[in-house]
Amino acid sequence: MTIAAFRADLGDIPVEDHPRIVQQRSRDHYWYSPVLKAKLDHVTAEVVVSPRTQEEVKTVLAAAYRHKVAVTPRGAGTGNYGQALPLAGGAMLNLMNLDRVIDIKPDRVRAEAGIVLEKLDQQTRPAVGGELRFHPSTYRMASLGGFIAGGSGGVGSIRWGGLRNLGSILSVKIITCEESPREMELTGEDVLKVAHAYGTNGVIVEAEMPLAPACDWVDIMVGFDDFLAACRFSEAITAQDSLLLKEVAPCAAPIGQDYFNRHKPYIRDGQSVVLIMAAPVAVEPVLIHLAYHGGEVLYRSDKASEEELRRLPPIYELAWNHTTLRALKVDPSITYLQTRYPTLKHVEKIVSILGDELPMHIEMTRQDGAVTFAGLPLVRYTSEARLEEIIAIHEDNGCAVFNPHRYTLEEGGMKRTDAAQLAFKRQADPAGMLNPGKMIAWDDPGFDLNSGRAWLFQGLAATAGAA
Amino acid sequence: MTIAAFRADLGDIPVEDHPRIVQQRSRDHYWYSPVLKAKLDHVTAEVVVSPRTQEEVKTVLAAAYRHKVAVTPRGAGTGNYGQALPLAGGAMLNLMNLDRVIDIKPDRVRAEAGIVLEKLDQQTRPAVGGELRFHPSTYRMASLGGFIAGGSGGVGSIRWGGLRNLGSILSVKIITCEESPREMELTGEDVLKVAHAYGTNGVIVEAEMPLAPACDWVDIMVGFDDFLAACRFSEAITAQDSLLLKEVAPCAAPIGQDYFNRHKPYIRDGQSVVLIMAAPVAVEPVLIHLAYHGGEVLYRSDKASEEELRRLPPIYELAWNHTTLRALKVDPSITYLQTRYPTLKHVEKIVSILGDELPMHIEMTRQDGAVTFAGLPLVRYTSEARLEEIIAIHEDNGCAVFNPHRYTLEEGGMKRTDAAQLAFKRQADPAGMLNPGKMIAWDDPGFDLNSGRAWLFQGLAATAGAA
Ligand SMILES: Cc1cc2nc3c(=O)[nH]c(=O)nc-3n(C[C@H](O)[C@H](O)[C@H](O)COP(=O)(O)OP(=O)(O)OC[C@H]3O[C@@H](n4cnc5c(N)ncnc54)[C@H](O)[C@@H]3O)c2cc1C
Ligand SMILES: Cc1cc2nc3c(=O)[nH]c(=O)nc-3n(C[C@H](O)[C@H](O)[C@H](O)COP(=O)(O)OP(=O)(O)OC[C@H]3O[C@@H](n4cnc5c(N)ncnc54)[C@H](O)[C@@H]3O)c2cc1C
């Protein structure tokens, strides 16, 4: 048996094969999508392998190559496109034990891939007064490697852009899946080959990330009677380059009242809210803008009681896909979309067409220098057909959709696979053992790399801004 | 004699009355403009008063009010719109002796108005690892109070916007010119009343400024055969929010060859250059973008020899109005304009119309969240009439001009005087003794406050983004 032979080559590297535990570790948050849930519920690996060192990762990958066992890298399993689901069975490669911080400099940090993002900041803050520029809202669970391989941006992207931007990841060390696995250090634009590639072209064991100055961010929640007024305010403060902000997210009523359980008492019926993280120096100017826009302060962490600070989650855990998570916990029929609204007019149009079928949630971001409405609207799901209609309504109105109901790189639409990446996978994973089934262009050589759609990770030439 | 009576009330506060020295101290860099030079050359004060403490500033202002002596505040006199010229004679108020740093916090600094900006950073860097977010290219001479009262932005505005943005100045302490001069602490949007008001409505004695993380900025000069390619590259890197940049300025040939004396040997004939200051983490990505855009590295301070570092001025002293200064030193017939090009197409259009009559110099900035081409083109001056034509060509092509050939606030077009500011001047300077002649709306109650032109300092409601 392949798996038995594979295991035999692992020495004393910990292996788990209890079916229930293995199944649990074969999942991520794919169940946010009813579409993925129906398609992927049965998927499971046969074992979970948990190397403790980079040398052990090499041993695992050599054995996988030798015995043709599929290997799916896994961090905390918080991805929500099913990107960590082992479509071909085989082994889950649990990287959470590789969690050393290697080097901290005033403007950058180098660490192993399994470190939890919050733990990383807990070391860089006292050491050099720095913190990650941005993190997913799963900050307290997600791993560095999982974020790079599976994420795109998050809390802080309002100022620093996303992982797709050159300069957001300084360096990545991967191990290849070959007869004799090699270490490769990727820097410069080569980093973009493995960013958001779902671990299909190398196992990330270390990364070097730039740091931003650490800050005692103030959580602020403000309320508006009118959602579009909330959006106008959000756009205005985001556009003020003088305001050091880490998060601005307008959420239409009734998201706050119905799904933000702990913050509910602060929110009046019918109020739309904006979730804000501001540097102390930015708080006063933000409140001045708020007054001009007719909004009202509902909560400020810098004026909160000890008891409130203990009871309430940080505001970023209401934002990004935590908005979806909180809604799902209350109403399991809810799902979501990922969209991009070029202007406020586009938001207004979509809201006017879809109303409460699509409770609107927007994350203000900077994309390629422009203030952008990145949408993560909730969807009151009825059928896959209607979901497709909602997507079509967006596209017909000039709003891009990055479909979170697809588990392949290309169909998800975040990352464009290009010739350079395919060539790189041939080097790093010549037998196609790494997370098989996630890169269509690998399995289907006839796949059109140049389909005309919108991609968040544009591929190398476009990302570097070439004409 | 008024001045004699005024002097008699000053006690032992130092007063200078040697005509040549007084005349020297009655000037700023107004002579950048042949128009202002013709109009203002004869202007001089009668004395220069140099208080050493804030109490002494009060004594001076009380005496000025009592004896109706005009008072023109002065920092280093590096302003270049003639805004520090004493149109009504009287006294220059030299504030350079008020140069104490009062309080340094991790994210902000409070200091007296006369401190030179570079000296301020020299204290905040070792203390908290912070530096001013942006500074004029006259960093090594200009005072904090003069920058606030007379400047707009500069090196660092590419990331942090300008002085006009709420949040760029946290607090300002002024002294009024009344019978009993009062101290007033202005915070929030009240700060905007005295920002870029030429000292017409209060003498700034202290200010609190937000800090950005200090950084060992790398000076880079790159070259392009084609100026528009240089602009495309400049726009592309500015738009990458992931790249920590402090300065990006494309300068068309032959600016580099003809006017950058010390850097000349690095520049090939016909090359346009881009002046860049990048954080160490941003250098590699910038060079990758450069390669995509077909540019070439001419100079990098992080690879320079000791001798080069000693010999060459910092790159920011080629930028902003230092470009103009360097050109003027070589060719006294040159002057300049301040413009705003909404897009690269606008730059292209103006360059195609005016060619070498207007050697193009652009400062990449962020204005209200958008990457913006702020122009400081040189002008090969022939006559005032032709200068007006060049301005008209800009305006006819949708490019705003902030006319640096005007010494009043309103005609310069940077700052819109509004009712709130006029009301404030009535409180802070009821007799109109402070820098008389610079605010038209004060002298001419019939002045139209709402003329439809473009203003950099929009006035309060618009700045706060109200609809
Ligand atoms: C509530 C919620 C909120 C979220 N918010 C955000 C957000 O704000 N921004 C955002 O970008 N994402 C967000 N996500 C998605 C996800 O949490 C993040 O992308 C997270 O960083 C993934 O990290 P992880 O360790 O859980 O990765 P996993 O889910 O374990 O893995 C993600 C992908 O990376 C691969 N992988 C993992 N580790 C490695 C490695 N070392 N080498 C190679 N491949 C590897 C996996 O195979 C998988 O394809 C959210 C998800 C949830 C459930
Ligand atoms: C080569 C060159 C480059 C420049 N580059 C830039 C640039 O990049 N960005 C930019 O914004 N400007 C620039 N300038 C303009 C000028 O240097 C700056 O605005 C500078 O900050 C002015 O400071 P100062 O101390 O010299 O002020 P001054 O010239 O002495 O005064 C400027 C104005 O402020 C008033 N004033 C001075 N001190 C006070 C006070 N304490 N209270 C009240 N009013 C006061 C004066 O009356 C005057 O109206 C440049 C000028 C030159 C010559």
Side-chain angles (χ1 to χ4, degrees):
Chain A
M1 247 190 69
T2 348
I3 280 284
F6 167 72
R7 289 183 67 158
D9 281 359
L10 298 184
D12 71 346
I13 300 174
V15 176
E16 173 66 60
D17 59 8
H18 187 295
R20 205 146 40 79
I21 299 180
V22 174
Q23 170 146 69
Q24 216 175 54
R25 297 287 171 80
S26 299
R27 323 212 125 188
D28 60 13
H29 281 52
Y30 73 107
W31 48 268
Y32 276 31
S33 159
V35 181
L36 293 179
K37 188 160 167 43
K39 287 204 178 109
L40 300 177
D41 244 2
H42 65 284
V43 168
T44 185
E46 293 172 78
V47 291
V48 180
V49 188
S50 299
R52 292 152 300 193
T53 63
Q54 299 184 20
E55 274 314 305
E56 290 187 351
V57 172
K58 283 191 197 161
T59 305
V60 177
L61 292 176
Y65 182 84
R66 198 170 312 126
H67 302 289
K68 299 295 167 280
V69 169
V71 169
T72 300
R74 186 180 200 267
T78 66
N80 41 1
Y81 316 129
Q83 68 263 58
L85 268 75
L87 299 179
M92 294 304 294
L93 180 64
N94 166 28
L95 291 149
M96 297 303 280
N97 293 332
L98 273 70
D99 62 355
R100 281 184 312 132
V101 174
I102 294 164
D103 187 29
I104 302 179
K105 292 214 165 62
D107 62 353
R108 63 190 86 191
V109 61
R110 189 175 183 89
E112 284 189 319
I115 193 163
V116 170
L117 298 171
E118 187 188 38
K119 300 264 181 242
L120 192 53
D121 279 355
Q122 282 167 357
Q123 296 203 35
T124 54
R125 278 206 197 96
V128 294
E131 63 184 28
L132 291 170
R133 290 173 167 184
F134 53 85
H135 60 73
S137 63
T138 47
Y139 183 53
R140 303 206 270 185
M141 295 175 279
S143 70
L144 177 60
F147 184 43
I148 292 174
S152 54
V155 185
S157 288
I158 191 169
R159 186 131 195 117
W160 291 101
L163 286 174
R164 74 190 174 286
N165 294 107
L166 209 61
S168 293
I169 305 166
L170 297 178
S171 179
V172 170
K173 180 173 160 191
I174 62 158
I175 295 181
T176 62
C177 187
E178 300 174 273
E179 190 171 341
S180 301
R182 285 173 297 159
E183 297 179 359
M184 292 176 71
E185 184 77 28
L186 305 179
T187 58
E189 59 180 323
D190 287 338
V191 158
L192 299 177
K193 293 173 182 165
V194 296
H196 205 84
Y198 295 178
T200 55
N201 52 16
V203 173
I204 300 169
V205 288
E206 284 178 23
E208 189 168 281
M209 306 293 282
L211 296 175
C215 192
D216 292 327
W217 301 102
V218 178
D219 281 356
I220 310 176
M221 184 187 273
V222 303
F224 285 87
D225 292 330
D226 172 30
F227 178 63
L228 289 171
C231 290
R232 266 192 298 274
F233 161 74
S234 299
E235 185 178 29
I237 59 172
T238 305
Q240 289 289 309
D241 306 291
S242 54
L243 300 183
L244 186 54
L245 300 170
K246 191 153 179 171
E247 172 68 21
V248 176
C251 302
I255 292 176
Q257 297 84 342
D258 287 357
Y259 308 131
F260 295 166
N261 280 333
R262 311 252 173 136
H263 286 83
K264 195 181 293 208
Y266 300 83
I267 308 170
R268 262 193 291 108
D269 244 27
Q271 262 186 331
S272 292
V273 299
V274 183
L275 312 172
I276 302 170
M277 286 170 71
V281 287
V283 172
E284 185 188 19
V286 163
L287 299 183
I288 292 169
H289 282 277
L290 183 69
Y292 270 97
H293 284 269
E296 124 191 38
V297 181
L298 306 181
Y299 170 77
R300 290 172 62 165
S301 66
D302 60 346
K303 303 279 175 191
S305 67
E306 287 294 318
E307 188 274 322
E308 281 175 304
L309 292 175
R310 256 196 320 276
R311 183 167 42 86
L312 298 172
I315 213 127
Y316 68 77
E317 285 187 359
L318 306 180
W320 293 88
N321 252 316
H322 271 82
T323 316
T324 322
L325 178 61
R326 288 177 191 279
L328 266 167
K329 278 192 183 162
V330 175
D331 177 355
S333 76
I334 278 184
T335 188
Y336 76 114
L337 278 180
Q338 284 175 198
T339 58
R340 186 162 58 199
Y341 304 107
T343 68
L344 186 62
K345 282 255 162 292
H346 292 81
V347 176
E348 188 169 4
K349 188 69 192 283
I350 295 296
V351 166
S352 78
I353 298 173
L354 292 167
D356 189 56
E357 184 180 3
L358 191 96
M360 187 53 86
H361 160 210
I362 285 170
E363 293 289 338
M364 300 307 302
T365 57
R366 277 196 161 69
Q367 293 192 17
D368 302 323
V371 172
T372 305
F373 298 88
L376 279 171
L378 303 180
V379 178
R380 300 194 194 275
Y381 185 76
T382 46
S383 71
E384 199 174 337
R386 178 59 185 162
L387 187 61
E388 291 302 325
E389 273 171 33
I390 293 173
I391 291 174
I393 288 169
H394 273 83
E395 290 174 343
D396 293 349
N397 284 285
C399 308
V401 174
F402 309 100
N403 195 337
H405 305 281
R406 297 287 181 271
Y407 57 78
T408 60
L409 283 165
E410 292 89 345
E411 292 168 299
M414 300 274 272
K415 187 178 177 87
R416 170 184 221 145
T417 307
D418 62 15
Q421 283 174 69
L422 268 178
F424 182 67
K425 183 165 166 73
R426 266 178 231 118
Q427 281 178 47
D429 180 27
M433 301 318 301
L434 293 177
N435 205 354
K438 301 293 166 52
M439 191 192 273
I440 301 182
W442 177 263
D443 299 316
D444 172 9
F447 183 76
D448 175 13
L449 294 178
N450 295 310
S451 81
R453 53 175 307 172
W455 304 94
L456 199 59
F457 288 72
Q458 274 284 336
L460 309 187
T463 305
Chain B
M1 248 191 68
T2 346
I3 279 283
F6 166 73
R7 288 183 68 159
D9 281 359
L10 298 183
D12 71 346
I13 301 172
V15 176
E16 172 67 60
D17 59 9
H18 188 294
R20 204 147 39 80
I21 299 181
V22 174
Q23 169 145 70
Q24 216 175 53
R25 297 287 171 81
S26 299
R27 325 213 124 188
D28 60 12
H29 282 52
Y30 74 104
W31 48 268
Y32 277 30
S33 160
V35 180
L36 293 179
K37 189 160 166 42
K39 286 203 177 111
L40 300 177
D41 244 2
H42 65 284
V43 169
T44 184
E46 292 171 80
V47 292
V48 180
V49 187
S50 298
R52 294 153 297 193
T53 63
Q54 299 185 19
E55 274 313 306
E56 290 187 351
V57 172
K58 282 190 197 163
T59 304
V60 176
L61 293 176
Y65 182 85
R66 199 171 312 128
H67 303 289
K68 299 292 167 285
V69 169
V71 170
T72 301
R74 186 178 201 268
T78 65
N80 41 0
Y81 315 131
Q83 67 263 60
L85 268 76
L87 300 180
M92 293 305 293
L93 181 64
N94 166 28
L95 290 148
M96 297 304 279
N97 293 331
L98 273 69
D99 62 356
R100 280 184 312 132
V101 174
I102 294 165
D103 187 29
I104 302 179
K105 292 213 166 60
D107 61 354
R108 63 190 84 191
V109 62
R110 189 173 184 91
E112 285 189 317
I115 193 162
V116 170
L117 297 171
E118 187 187 39
K119 300 263 181 242
L120 192 53
D121 279 356
Q122 281 169 356
Q123 297 204 34
T124 55
R125 279 208 197 95
V128 294
E131 64 185 27
L132 290 171
R133 290 174 167 184
F134 52 85
H135 59 73
S137 62
T138 46
Y139 184 51
R140 303 205 270 186
M141 293 175 280
S143 69
L144 177 59
F147 185 41
I148 292 175
S152 54
V155 185
S157 289
I158 191 170
R159 187 134 195 115
W160 292 100
L163 286 175
R164 73 190 174 287
N165 295 107
L166 209 58
S168 292
I169 305 166
L170 298 177
S171 180
V172 170
K173 180 173 159 191
I174 62 158
I175 294 181
T176 61
C177 187
E178 300 174 273
E179 188 171 342
S180 302
R182 284 172 299 159
E183 297 180 357
M184 291 176 72
E185 184 76 29
L186 305 179
T187 59
E189 58 181 322
D190 287 339
V191 157
L192 299 177
K193 293 173 181 165
V194 297
H196 206 85
Y198 295 176
T200 54
N201 50 18
V203 173
I204 301 170
V205 287
E206 285 179 22
E208 188 168 280
M209 304 294 281
L211 296 176
C215 192
D216 292 327
W217 301 102
V218 178
D219 281 357
I220 309 175
M221 184 187 273
V222 303
F224 286 85
D225 291 331
D226 172 29
F227 178 63
L228 288 171
C231 290
R232 268 192 297 275
F233 160 74
S234 299
E235 185 179 29
I237 60 171
T238 304
Q240 290 287 310
D241 307 291
S242 54
L243 301 183
L244 187 53
L245 301 170
K246 191 153 178 172
E247 172 70 20
V248 175
C251 302
I255 293 176
Q257 299 83 341
D258 287 357
Y259 308 131
F260 296 165
N261 280 333
R262 310 252 173 134
H263 286 83
K264 198 181 292 208
Y266 301 83
I267 308 170
R268 261 193 290 109
D269 243 26
Q271 263 186 331
S272 292
V273 300
V274 183
L275 312 172
I276 302 171
M277 286 170 71
V281 288
V283 172
E284 186 189 17
V286 163
L287 298 183
I288 292 168
H289 282 277
L290 182 69
Y292 271 96
H293 284 268
E296 125 192 35
V297 180
L298 305 181
Y299 170 76
R300 290 171 62 165
S301 65
D302 60 346
K303 304 278 175 192
S305 69
E306 287 293 320
E307 187 273 322
E308 280 176 304
L309 291 175
R310 253 195 324 274
R311 183 168 40 88
L312 298 171
I315 213 126
Y316 68 75
E317 287 188 357
L318 305 180
W320 293 88
N321 251 318
H322 271 82
T323 316
T324 321
L325 178 61
R326 287 177 193 280
L328 267 167
K329 279 190 183 162
V330 175
D331 177 354
S333 76
I334 277 184
T335 189
Y336 76 115
L337 278 180
Q338 284 176 197
T339 58
R340 186 161 60 199
Y341 304 107
T343 69
L344 186 61
K345 282 254 162 292
H346 291 82
V347 176
E348 189 170 2
K349 188 68 193 283
I350 295 297
V351 166
S352 77
I353 297 174
L354 293 168
D356 190 56
E357 185 180 2
L358 191 95
M360 187 53 85
H361 160 211
I362 286 170
E363 293 289 337
M364 300 305 304
T365 58
R366 276 195 161 69
Q367 293 193 15
D368 301 324
V371 172
T372 305
F373 297 88
L376 280 171
L378 303 180
V379 177
R380 299 194 193 277
Y381 184 77
T382 45
S383 70
E384 197 173 339
R386 178 57 185 162
L387 187 62
E388 291 301 324
E389 273 172 32
I390 292 173
I391 291 174
I393 289 170
H394 274 81
E395 291 174 342
D396 292 347
N397 283 284
C399 307
V401 174
F402 308 100
N403 194 337
H405 304 281
R406 297 289 180 271
Y407 57 78
T408 60
L409 283 164
E410 291 90 346
E411 292 168 298
M414 301 274 272
K415 187 177 179 86
R416 169 184 222 146
T417 306
D418 61 16
Q421 284 174 68
L422 268 179
F424 183 68
K425 184 166 166 72
R426 265 177 233 119
Q427 281 177 47
D429 181 27
M433 300 320 300
L434 293 177
N435 206 353
K438 301 293 167 51
M439 191 191 275
I440 301 183
W442 177 262
D443 298 316
D444 172 8
F447 184 74
D448 176 14
L449 294 178
N450 296 309
S451 82
R453 54 175 305 170
W455 305 93
L456 199 60
F457 287 70
Q458 273 285 335
L460 309 187
T463 305

